Coordinates of all heavy atoms in Angstrom, one line a residue:
Chain E
Q116 N 22.6 -48.7 53.3 CA 23.5 -48.5 54.5 C 24.3 -49.6 54.9 O 25.2 -49.7 55.7 CB 22.5 -48.1 55.6 CG 21.7 -46.8 55.5 CD 22.4 -45.6 55.2 OE1 23.5 -45.4 55.8 NE2 21.9 -44.7 54.4
G117 N 24.0 -50.8 54.2 CA 24.7 -52.1 54.6 C 26.0 -52.3 54.0 O 26.7 -51.4 53.5
E118 N 26.4 -53.6 54.0 CA 27.8 -54.0 53.7 C 27.9 -54.0 52.1 O 27.0 -54.5 51.5 CB 28.1 -55.3 54.2 CG 29.5 -55.7 54.2 CD 30.2 -55.7 55.5 OE1 29.7 -56.4 56.4 OE2 31.2 -54.9 55.6
V119 N 28.9 -53.4 51.7 CA 29.3 -53.5 50.2 C 30.4 -54.6 50.0 O 31.5 -54.5 50.7 CB 29.6 -52.3 49.6 CG1 30.1 -52.3 48.1 CG2 28.5 -51.2 49.7
L120 N 30.3 -55.6 49.3 CA 31.3 -56.6 49.0 C 31.9 -56.4 47.7 O 31.3 -55.8 46.7 CB 30.6 -58.0 49.3 CG 29.9 -58.3 50.4 CD1 29.5 -59.8 50.5 CD2 30.8 -58.2 51.7
F121 N 33.0 -57.1 47.4 CA 33.7 -57.0 46.3 C 34.2 -58.3 45.7 O 34.8 -59.2 46.5 CB 35.0 -56.0 46.3 CG 34.6 -54.6 46.9 CD1 34.5 -54.3 48.2 CD2 34.5 -53.6 45.9 CE1 34.1 -53.1 48.7 CE2 34.2 -52.4 46.4 CZ 34.1 -52.0 47.7
A122 N 34.0 -58.5 44.4 CA 34.5 -59.7 43.9 C 35.5 -59.2 42.9 O 35.6 -58.2 42.4 CB 33.4 -60.5 43.1
E123 N 36.4 -60.1 42.5 CA 37.5 -59.8 41.5 C 36.9 -60.0 40.1 O 35.9 -60.6 39.8 CB 38.7 -60.7 41.6 CG 39.5 -60.6 42.7 CD 40.6 -61.6 42.8 OE1 40.9 -62.3 41.8 OE2 41.4 -61.6 43.9
H124 N 37.4 -59.0 39.2 CA 36.7 -58.9 37.9 C 36.6 -60.2 37.2 O 35.5 -60.5 36.7 CB 37.7 -58.0 37.1 CG 37.1 -57.5 35.8 ND1 36.4 -56.3 35.6 CD2 37.1 -58.0 34.5 CE1 36.0 -56.2 34.4 NE2 36.4 -57.2 33.7
H125 N 37.6 -61.1 37.0 CA 37.4 -62.3 36.4 C 36.7 -63.3 37.2 O 36.2 -64.3 36.7 CB 38.8 -62.8 35.9 CG 39.3 -62.1 34.6 ND1 39.0 -62.6 33.4 CD2 39.6 -60.8 34.3 CE1 39.4 -61.8 32.4 NE2 39.8 -60.7 33.0
Q126 N 36.7 -63.2 38.6 CA 35.8 -64.0 39.3 C 34.3 -63.7 38.9 O 33.5 -64.7 38.9 CB 35.9 -63.8 40.9 CG 37.1 -64.4 41.5 CD 37.3 -64.1 43.0 OE1 36.9 -63.0 43.4 NE2 37.8 -65.1 43.8
S127 N 34.1 -62.4 38.7 CA 32.7 -62.1 38.3 C 32.4 -62.8 37.0 O 31.2 -63.1 36.7 CB 32.6 -60.6 38.3 OG 32.8 -60.0 39.6
H128 N 33.3 -62.7 36.1 CA 33.0 -63.1 34.8 C 32.8 -64.6 34.8 O 32.0 -65.2 34.2 CB 34.2 -63.0 33.8 CG 34.2 -61.5 33.1 ND1 33.1 -61.0 32.7 CD2 35.1 -60.6 32.9 CE1 33.3 -59.8 32.0 NE2 34.6 -59.5 32.2
A129 N 33.8 -65.3 35.6 CA 33.7 -66.7 35.7 C 32.3 -67.2 36.3 O 31.7 -68.1 35.9 CB 34.8 -67.3 36.5
A130 N 32.0 -66.4 37.4 CA 30.7 -66.6 38.0 C 29.6 -66.6 37.1 O 28.6 -67.4 37.0 CB 30.5 -65.9 39.3
A131 N 29.6 -65.5 36.3 CA 28.4 -65.3 35.3 C 28.4 -66.4 34.1 O 27.4 -66.7 33.7 CB 28.7 -63.9 34.6
A132 N 29.6 -67.0 34.0 CA 29.7 -68.0 32.9 C 29.2 -69.3 33.6 O 28.6 -70.1 32.9 CB 31.2 -68.1 32.5
F133 N 29.7 -69.8 34.7 CA 29.5 -71.1 35.3 C 28.2 -71.2 36.1 O 27.5 -72.1 35.9 CB 30.7 -71.4 36.1 CG 30.5 -72.8 36.6 CD1 30.2 -74.0 36.0 CD2 30.4 -73.0 38.1 CE1 30.0 -75.3 36.7 CE2 30.2 -74.1 38.7 CZ 29.9 -75.2 38.0
L134 N 28.1 -70.3 37.1 CA 27.0 -70.6 38.1 C 25.6 -70.6 37.5 O 24.8 -71.4 38.0 CB 27.2 -69.6 39.2 CG 28.5 -69.7 40.1 CD1 28.6 -68.5 41.0 CD2 28.4 -71.1 40.8
P135 N 25.2 -69.8 36.5 CA 23.9 -70.0 35.9 C 23.8 -70.9 34.7 O 22.8 -71.0 34.2 CB 23.5 -68.4 35.4 CG 25.0 -67.8 35.1 CD 25.9 -68.5 35.9
S136 N 24.9 -71.6 34.4 CA 25.0 -72.4 33.3 C 24.1 -73.7 33.7 O 23.9 -74.0 34.7 CB 26.4 -72.9 33.0 OG 26.9 -73.9 34.0
P137 N 23.9 -74.6 32.6 CA 23.2 -75.8 33.0 C 24.1 -76.9 33.5 O 23.6 -78.0 33.6 CB 22.6 -76.3 31.5 CG 23.4 -75.7 30.6 CD 24.0 -74.4 31.3
F138 N 25.5 -76.7 33.6 CA 26.3 -77.8 34.1 C 26.5 -77.9 35.5 O 26.8 -76.9 36.1 CB 27.6 -77.6 33.3 CG 27.4 -77.2 31.8 CD1 28.0 -76.2 31.2 CD2 26.6 -78.1 31.1 CE1 27.9 -75.9 29.9 CE2 26.4 -77.7 29.7 CZ 27.1 -76.7 29.1
E139 N 26.7 -79.1 36.0 CA 27.1 -79.3 37.3 C 28.6 -79.2 37.5 O 29.1 -78.7 38.6 CB 26.7 -80.7 37.8 CG 27.1 -81.2 39.2 CD 26.6 -80.3 40.3 OE1 25.6 -79.6 40.0 OE2 27.3 -80.3 41.4
E140 N 29.2 -79.6 36.4 CA 30.8 -79.4 36.4 C 31.2 -78.8 35.0 O 30.6 -79.4 33.9 CB 31.4 -80.7 36.7 CG 32.9 -80.8 37.0 CD 33.4 -82.0 37.4 OE1 32.7 -83.1 37.3 OE2 34.6 -82.1 37.9
A141 N 32.1 -77.9 34.9 CA 32.5 -77.5 33.6 C 33.8 -76.7 33.7 O 34.3 -76.3 34.8 CB 31.5 -76.5 33.0
A142 N 34.6 -76.8 32.6 CA 35.7 -75.9 32.4 C 35.3 -74.5 32.2 O 34.2 -74.2 31.6 CB 36.6 -76.4 31.2
I143 N 36.1 -73.5 32.7 CA 35.7 -72.1 32.5 C 36.8 -71.4 31.8 O 37.9 -71.5 32.1 CB 35.5 -71.5 33.9 CG1 34.3 -72.2 34.7 CG2 35.2 -70.0 33.8 CD1 34.2 -71.9 36.1
L144 N 36.5 -70.6 30.9 CA 37.5 -69.7 30.1 C 36.8 -68.3 30.2 O 35.8 -68.1 29.6 CB 37.7 -70.2 28.7 CG 38.7 -69.4 27.9 CD1 40.1 -69.5 28.6 CD2 38.7 -70.0 26.5
T145 N 37.7 -67.3 30.7 CA 37.3 -65.9 30.6 C 38.3 -65.1 29.8 O 39.5 -65.3 30.0 CB 37.0 -65.3 32.0 OG1 38.3 -65.2 32.7 CG2 36.1 -66.2 33.0
L146 N 37.7 -64.3 29.0 CA 38.7 -63.5 28.1 C 38.1 -62.1 27.8 O 36.9 -62.1 27.4 CB 38.8 -64.2 26.7 CG 39.4 -65.5 26.7 CD1 39.0 -66.2 25.3 CD2 40.9 -65.3 26.6

Side-chain angles (χ1 to χ4, degrees):
Chain E
Q116 305 294 328
E118 193 105 57
V119 177
L120 304 181
F121 300 85
E123 290 176 6
H124 191 93
H125 278 261
Q126 278 178 331
S127 299
H128 277 317
F133 171 65
L134 293 172
S136 78
F138 311 131
E139 175 61 22
E140 191 174 13
I143 301 170
L144 183 61
T145 69
L146 292 159

